[in-house]
Amino acid sequence: MADAVSTQDRAATTVTKTATIGDSEFDRDTAVTRRAGEPGVYDIDLSAGWTIINAVNGGYLLAVLGRALADALPHSDPFTVSAHYLTASAPGPAVIRTDVVRSGRTLSTGQASLFQYAEDGTEVERIRVLASYGDLDALPDDVRTSAQAPAIPPIDQCFGAGDAPEGAPPVPGSSAITDRLALKLDPSTLGWALGAPSGKGEMRAWFGLADGRDADPLSLLLAVDALPPTAFEMGLKGWVPTVELTVHVRCRPAPGPLRVAITTRNLAGGFLEEDAEVWDTQDRLVAQSRQLARVRLG
Amino acid sequence: MADAVSTQDRAATTVTKTATIGDSEFDRDTAVTRRAGEPGVYDIDLSAGWTIINAVNGGYLLAVLGRALADALPHSDPFTVSAHYLTASAPGPAVIRTDVVRSGRTLSTGQASLFQYAEDGTEVERIRVLASYGDLDALPDDVRTSAQAPAIPPIDQCFGAGDAPEGAPPVPGSSAITDRLALKLDPSTLGWALGAPSGKGEMRAWFGLADGRDADPLSLLLAVDALPPTAFEMGLKGWVPTVELTVHVRCRPAPGPLRVAITTRNLAGGFLEEDAEVWDTQDRLVAQSRQLARVRLG
């Protein structure tokens, strides 16, 4: 209940917030610190502000690793990032160990692993990523696309955690990350929250950061994994842990809210894929992602 | 010309060939040898039989790395494999260095890098992969899918390198890999070969191995990257090198030819994505892949 209240307060005040890229909750909570004397090694205290129930959001973790690689590599923009999730992360201290795999003129490739500490102090690996970075601003402007922006109603016709469509519980539930995001779900993919899932593997929303910070390539790594799981609309309950997630950042996003559309076509053998598209206010497809996730059936 | 002839010979005799999983060109050419005294290190002589012009096919290389990881990990089936292509491979000696990242009950995760040798004998890394393996046969049979198998005409109405639709050059061109594959392209995605590309980012084909060897999870790693690039049908010529390719193997394929459908929706800034679906003779979606590739425009 306290969550719901604070959520509504934040939702009500979002419009007046003016955080900027480099000075925002997201920037502060993804900031990594170079470890003196150990090149390529970074420390961070994982924020409890980006958790869903007790789990640290996978997109937030991807952004943290992306920050470390942007510092370790000669290029600063993630073009393609492949992450394999090994064990569940918890808020608190973590260390990121990076490795420059290849440095090219237009692309460089790096590897990063995030570790946390066991009771006895030994390091436990949480995530390992391979990523290729470049310079988005150096790309030509040519675009030939057959992709269509998702049809999502205007923001004021979509629903966030602070809103209450008749009879609906808080959406997507009382989790800390809810307060960090300005997430407005398409009513046509909100059936699960009303106890009437559509049965379709679709989830769509307007996505922003609650403090008004505009999107950049790093926050796109968060955006692709910040919506409720499509499994909810397929009538499945429970956790849908990510096994692997790969993101392609195709373009630097324009200011303003993003539209995120996630589709699942194939649930089989207890696994499903989630394909995400992220579109900016200039109707450009700025990111694509696909993840393989496990579903707990029944 | 010699290529074309041998291709036709092979096409004509394909039906009578009876290679099996474990005893075929593909199995021999992807076989890796454990290096004595160096656990997790494997040697291989990359075959010239899987080259396109002078480049070693990326799918063949993925299968080679997949073989090494299947030996190094406690699980034998690739579930999700993410590969970042660093430098161009050439036929000849290579070494694969694997690392077990995590061993779980149902999934294990590993890393593998393929190196070749520079003039001075130093190792040059060609590809690095992260992969999670499991046991496909241990998965439940549940399937809930909205995916539709691609509409490809019957094989005898599709065209391979040995066929000659009026005025068409050999398809997909005189390359060694052509002789190893039983690839029959959907006429509706064959315009590029006739000098009349459709302009659509689509490529579809029946896929098999020329010696009749049935598909398995490892050969699916080849299948997702064995068709001509969709860029050809978009009217682009020249090379389309892969930056990153991730494959999800969703199901063990049934015997018989596979249907592969590749779609590109967004060409922008000199990069495009290729989404591949692989379907088996039981109409099951057995693999999905997405790659980010560079295009040389104009």
Side-chain angles (χ1 to χ4, degrees), chain B:
Chain B
M1 195 55 204
D3 273 342
V5 171
S6 68
T7 300
Q8 287 169 325
D9 292 345
R10 184 175 296 277
T13 54
T14 298
V15 286
T16 67
K17 292 179 174 288
T18 58
T20 57
I21 294 174
D23 180 15
S24 71
E25 290 177 320
F26 176 77
D27 294 286
R28 286 185 289 277
D29 290 348
T30 56
V32 295
T33 305
R34 294 182 190 176
R35 185 178 285 186
E38 296 185 51
V41 181
Y42 302 84
D43 289 293
I44 183 169
D45 192 61
L46 295 178
S47 166
W50 303 86
T51 50
I52 298 178
I53 316 300
N54 297 324
V56 180
N57 172 263
Y60 163 70
L61 293 168
L62 204 58
V64 166
L65 286 156
R67 278 286 287 274
L69 281 168
D71 184 82
L73 292 171
H75 297 93
S76 58
D77 297 326
F79 275 34
T80 170
V81 182
S82 309
H84 286 246
Y85 291 77
L86 307 170
T87 57
S89 300
V95 58
I96 299 164
R97 300 182 179 281
T98 65
D99 172 32
V100 177
V101 176
R102 175 178 177 270
S103 292
R105 185 176 54 83
T106 58
L107 287 177
S108 54
T109 300
Q111 176 173 323
S113 292
L114 184 141
F115 300 86
Q116 291 191 301
Y117 305 96
E119 297 280 327
D120 62 4
T122 58
E123 292 184 353
V124 180
E125 188 167 2
R126 301 302 193 201
I127 310 177
R128 187 174 295 200
V129 309
L130 278 177
S132 292
Y133 276 52
D135 178 1
L136 288 170
D137 301 326
L139 300 181
D141 293 331
D142 66 287
V143 177
R144 285 176 51 185
T145 186
S146 61
Q148 301 287 330
I152 303 181
I155 289 185
D156 60 12
Q157 296 173 28
C158 294
F159 296 94
D163 311 318
E166 59 284 355
V171 180
S174 59
S175 292
I177 193 171
T178 304
D179 293 346
R180 301 294 184 286
L181 304 179
L183 200 61
K184 295 284 190 175
L185 291 169
D186 183 334
S188 65
T189 65
L190 199 51
W192 61 275
L194 301 162
S198 68
K200 298 178 185 172
E202 300 177 359
M203 196 65 64
R204 289 182 296 273
W206 289 92
F207 174 94
L209 290 165
D211 61 10
R213 189 255 202 206
D214 280 320
D216 70 349
L218 277 177
S219 70
L220 292 178
L221 304 186
L222 166 67
V224 297
D225 197 33
L227 272 57
T230 52
F232 286 2
E233 269 300 88
M234 297 175 80
L236 304 172
K237 294 184 169 64
W239 197 232
V240 188
T242 302
V243 175
E244 174 268 328
L245 170 62
T246 296
V247 188
H248 298 172
V249 175
R250 303 297 303 273
C251 172
R252 189 176 303 281
L258 300 167
R259 285 158 294 174
V260 181
I262 305 182
T263 306
T264 294
R265 298 167 65 228
N266 193 57
L267 163 62
F271 289 82
L272 55 73
E273 92 284 2
E274 272 197 9
D275 281 357
E277 286 186 1
V278 185
W279 294 75
D280 72 2
T281 52
Q282 294 184 13
D283 274 348
R284 292 178 306 186
L285 179 56
V286 293
Q288 293 170 294
S289 76
R290 175 177 290 160
Q291 69 172 275
L292 184 67
R294 310 176 75 146
V295 288
R296 311 298 185 200
L297 295 176

